[in-house]
Amino acid sequence: EGNMCGAAGKCVDHSDPTGKHMDDYHCDCDSGFEEEVKDGKKVCGNVPDCPDEACLPGSCEDLVNDYRCHCPEGYFVGENAAEDLAHDCLPEPCGAPPTVEHATTASEGQDTFFNSDPVQYECAEGYTLDAAATGDRTFEINCKADGAFEAHPTCLPVGCGEAHHVDYATYQTGNVVFPNHVQYTCEEGYTTTGTAAGATSFEGSCEATGELAGVLSCEPVACAGVPEQANAEYNEGSSLVFPQVLAITCHE
């Protein structure tokens, strides 16, 4: 009489009463409940079903013979076999980091999750984030709460500026970027050494340092000494290069 076992159980009288009310009955509790003393009364209380460390970083709601996880953004409810948890807050997976052109990462091919450290990238030599030779080459991206990676920046080729001007040569004008080249061709009568047998073409190479290397000059081809001119006045010992001329005046 006056028991508080509640709807989750029933009160059972003991066959041999002692006369002490609390000792003369017990609560026969339903599955998921157990007898406990609350405010001096025997009651059927819910057995705690939330395992230690379950549902982190979320919260655990105790149910009858079960529990429910309430997970924060970036996590979903699923079984955690590794921790032997029927329900847990698992981080959203983003999969393997994306391939970034002209960049490498030590995390290539590794599964990445919302709670993973940011993925570190480094632009290849000759590429920076602002195209300047001294620009930053490293960046990182995170796995977002929706299971997608952040947008990544672009590794831009280092710029070497305008193609260098070379007198007496034809070439394509405009900005040059790593690792491109500029092809120069000397005009007729000019070579890179100033000799008839010298090279008539060369190329400038845009280096990772931002320098345009290998640019030469086109020098006028030198002619052999002027042969003796009989019966004439002229500047003896003259040394001519293309396209110079030597004036020769015949004697009267």
Side-chain angles (χ1 to χ4, degrees):
E1 182 178 357
N3 77 85
M4 298 182 66
C5 291
K10 61 181 180 179
C11 179
V12 178
D13 276 329
H14 293 172
S15 58
D16 297 320
T18 65
K20 187 176 180 180
H21 180 68
M22 286 287 287
D23 293 339
D24 286 344
Y25 77 95
H26 70 273
C27 293
D28 187 7
C29 301
D30 296 341
S31 176
F33 293 84
E34 62 183 2
E35 184 184 83
E36 60 183 44
V37 177
K38 184 177 181 181
D39 297 328
K41 300 289 185 178
K42 292 180 178 179
V43 299
C44 286
N46 188 4
V47 176
D49 295 299
C50 286
D52 292 338
E53 306 299 321
C55 302
L56 296 178
S59 60
C60 182
E61 177 187 354
D62 186 27
L63 305 176
V64 178
N65 286 326
D66 203 357
Y67 65 94
R68 179 183 293 120
C69 289
H70 297 275
C71 302
E73 185 181 27
Y75 292 82
F76 67 96
V77 178
E79 180 184 3
N80 187 344
E83 300 293 335
D84 195 25
L85 295 173
H87 319 294
D88 201 8
C89 289
L90 304 176
E92 290 285 353
C94 284
T99 299
V100 179
E101 190 175 14
H102 306 304
T104 58
T105 175
S107 302
E108 182 178 1
Q110 298 179 9
D111 285 335
T112 307
F113 301 87
F114 174 68
N115 64 343
S116 298
D117 291 334
V119 180
Q120 306 290 331
Y121 287 86
E122 182 177 12
C123 294
E125 185 180 21
Y127 296 85
T128 64
L129 299 182
D130 60 1
T134 57
D136 198 352
R137 292 175 54 194
T138 61
F139 61 93
E140 63 182 31
I141 60 172
N142 289 287
C143 173
K144 299 189 299 182
D146 61 357
F149 280 101
E150 291 177 328
H152 59 77
T154 301
C155 290
L156 303 173
V158 168
C160 291
E162 285 278 341
H164 295 179
H165 174 75
V166 176
D167 291 334
Y168 311 113
T170 57
Y171 57 95
Q172 184 174 356
T173 59
N175 287 318
V176 189
V177 298
F178 178 85
N180 294 339
H181 301 79
V182 182
Q183 190 70 35
Y184 291 85
T185 302
C186 295
E187 296 175 1
E188 185 178 16
Y190 297 85
T191 68
T192 60
T193 60
T195 64
T200 58
S201 64
F202 57 91
E203 65 179 20
S205 173
C206 182
E207 304 293 317
T209 58
E211 300 293 328
L212 189 62
V215 178
L216 304 176
S217 60
C218 290
E219 303 294 336
V221 171
C223 292
V226 178
E228 182 180 354
Q229 303 294 307
N231 305 313
E233 292 182 0
Y234 61 97
N235 186 8
E236 295 185 34
S238 296
S239 177
L240 302 182
V241 297
F242 178 85
Q244 293 176 334
V245 295
L246 176 66
I248 300 174
T249 303
C250 294
H251 292 162
E252 186 177 359

